[in-house]
């Protein structure tokens, strides 16, 4: 079955890889990018590969951009855009936390709500949301990002049950650490604000992340979840992250102070 898939955050990382992979597989792709230079670059890469793909500008924080995207014809939403900024919870500037939640939760929720209304009227559709393994387990020094993904998990669990009677499907994808650059820059972002203000905790050392997996595995799994007839509700990869999440969730039930 050929799907028409709107992807947010397709200018880089998983979103870009999924957009190109879906187009190669013959699906209709609406690949949205945060800024115009990304639009130009992705259009050029698609043309170079001989792929047909609609590429639009969609900053999920812009109501104008969201309205433009949601007015297009599509049957699947890949709610993928997101940001991460590291830092200990006790020291995080509130504006950083708000920015993370504005992007990862509130803007993504507005995209999901717009798609849900469209799909309810159509009697079918699928919303796939990029969560994270960080939405399932503790992630010290990435508490704001983790909390935003816990919020995503809560919305998706509710949406799954609420939309099922209308023929609308909801799935989550929970990546662990992959070499897309997302985790590296998320860690480095702490240095932008650490020196501005009094700190009582030690700076978390920004280090090279050497144990990240090849993103091709996750991109292939995302494409399957977006296109297969009966995908799992939750997909956690790599396997090490899947096993760690199950183990740590059980440990939390048994933990004592």
């Amino acid at each position: 079955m050929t799907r028409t898939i709107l992807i947010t955050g397709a200018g880089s990382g998983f979103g870009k890889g999924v957009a190109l992979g879906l187009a190669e597989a013959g699906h209709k792709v609406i690949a949205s990018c945060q800024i115009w230079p990304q639009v130009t670059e992705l259009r050029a890469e698609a043309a170079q590969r001989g792929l047909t793909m609609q590429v639009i500008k969609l900053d999920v924080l812009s109501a104008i951009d969201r309205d433009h995207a949601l007015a297009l014809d599509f049957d699947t939403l890949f709610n993928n855009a997101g940001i991460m900024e590291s830092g200990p919870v006790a020291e995080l500037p509130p504006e950083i936390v708000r920015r993370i939640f504005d992007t990862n939760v509130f803007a993504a929720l507005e995209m999901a709500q717009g798609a849900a209304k469209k799909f309810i009227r159509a009697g079918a559709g699928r919303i796939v949301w990029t969560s994270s393994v960080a939405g399932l387990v503790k992630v010290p020094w990435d508490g704001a990002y983790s909390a935003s993904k816990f919020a995503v998990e809560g919305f998706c669990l509710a949406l799954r049950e609420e939309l099922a009677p209308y023929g609308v499907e909801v799935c989550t994808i929970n990546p662990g650490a992959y070499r897309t650059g997302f985790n590296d820059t998320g860690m480095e972002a702490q240095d932008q604000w650490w020196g501005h203000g009094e700190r009582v905790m030690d700076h978390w050392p920004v280090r090279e992340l050497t144990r990240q997996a090849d993103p091709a595995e996750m991109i292939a799994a995302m494409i399957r979840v977006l296109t297969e007839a009966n995908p799992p509700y939750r997909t956690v990869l790599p396997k090490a992250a899947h096993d760690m999440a199950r183990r740590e969730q059980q440990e939390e039930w048994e933990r004592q102070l």
Side-chain angles (χ1 to χ4, degrees):
M1 174 183 175
T2 301
R3 291 182 174 271
T4 303
I5 303 169
L6 170 62
I7 305 171
T8 69
S12 62
F14 291 133
K16 182 177 181 179
V18 169
L20 294 168
L22 287 168
E24 287 173 351
H27 295 279
K28 297 179 180 178
V29 178
I30 305 170
S32 70
C33 303
Q34 181 184 16
I35 56 175
W36 285 110
Q38 291 176 324
V39 172
T40 302
E41 291 169 7
L42 187 54
R43 284 175 179 168
E45 184 165 349
Q48 185 180 26
R49 296 191 184 198
L51 299 175
T52 300
M53 179 192 304
Q54 183 178 359
V55 185
I56 65 171
K57 189 249 184 189
L58 169 55
D59 178 346
V60 294
L61 296 177
S62 165
I64 293 172
D65 286 2
R66 290 195 304 269
D67 289 346
H68 172 256
L70 290 167
L72 300 173
D73 184 25
F74 59 95
D75 54 46
T76 303
L77 170 65
F78 186 22
N79 225 356
N80 171 71
I83 61 172
M84 182 180 86
E85 294 196 37
S86 298
V89 172
E91 300 277 19
L92 273 168
E95 67 179 278
I96 299 291
V97 180
R98 291 191 187 97
R99 182 158 66 230
I100 291 170
F101 270 74
D102 281 343
T103 300
N104 295 1
V105 182
F106 301 124
L109 176 61
E110 292 199 58
M111 290 298 300
Q113 288 176 328
K117 291 179 174 65
K118 178 191 294 283
F119 297 161
I120 288 169
R121 295 187 186 101
R126 181 177 294 175
I127 299 171
V128 177
W129 208 320
T130 298
S131 179
S132 172
V133 71
L136 304 173
V137 299
K138 66 181 183 298
V139 189
W141 286 276
D142 272 320
Y145 175 73
S146 179
S148 76
K149 294 304 185 178
F150 269 85
V152 165
E153 292 290 323
F155 278 129
C156 287
L157 285 167
L159 275 172
R160 183 188 69 191
E161 301 300 310
E162 294 164 355
L163 298 182
Y166 300 94
V168 182
E169 302 164 329
V170 177
C171 299
T172 71
I173 298 175
N174 300 68
Y178 284 94
R179 291 191 302 272
T180 63
F182 182 82
N183 300 301
D184 308 75
T185 55
M187 285 179 56
E188 184 180 347
Q190 179 180 337
D191 288 338
Q192 296 291 102
W193 54 265
W194 187 262
H196 298 269
E198 182 184 359
R199 305 291 166 216
V200 297
M201 297 182 69
D202 292 333
H203 186 290
W204 184 41
V206 175
R207 62 194 185 281
E208 185 179 359
L209 299 176
T210 58
R211 298 178 64 183
Q212 299 185 91
D214 184 344
E217 171 192 48
M218 189 77 255
I219 289 168
M222 289 173 163
I223 290 172
R224 290 195 298 272
V225 172
L226 287 161
T227 60
E228 289 184 352
N230 189 32
Y233 167 69
R234 175 177 289 153
T235 298
V236 185
L237 287 171
K239 186 179 184 302
H242 176 279
D243 294 345
M244 178 269 290
R246 285 182 171 270
R247 182 178 65 253
E248 287 201 7
Q249 286 183 332
Q250 182 60 40
E251 289 173 354
E252 291 301 323
W253 282 98
E254 301 166 358
R255 188 178 303 279
Q256 292 179 289
L257 291 180

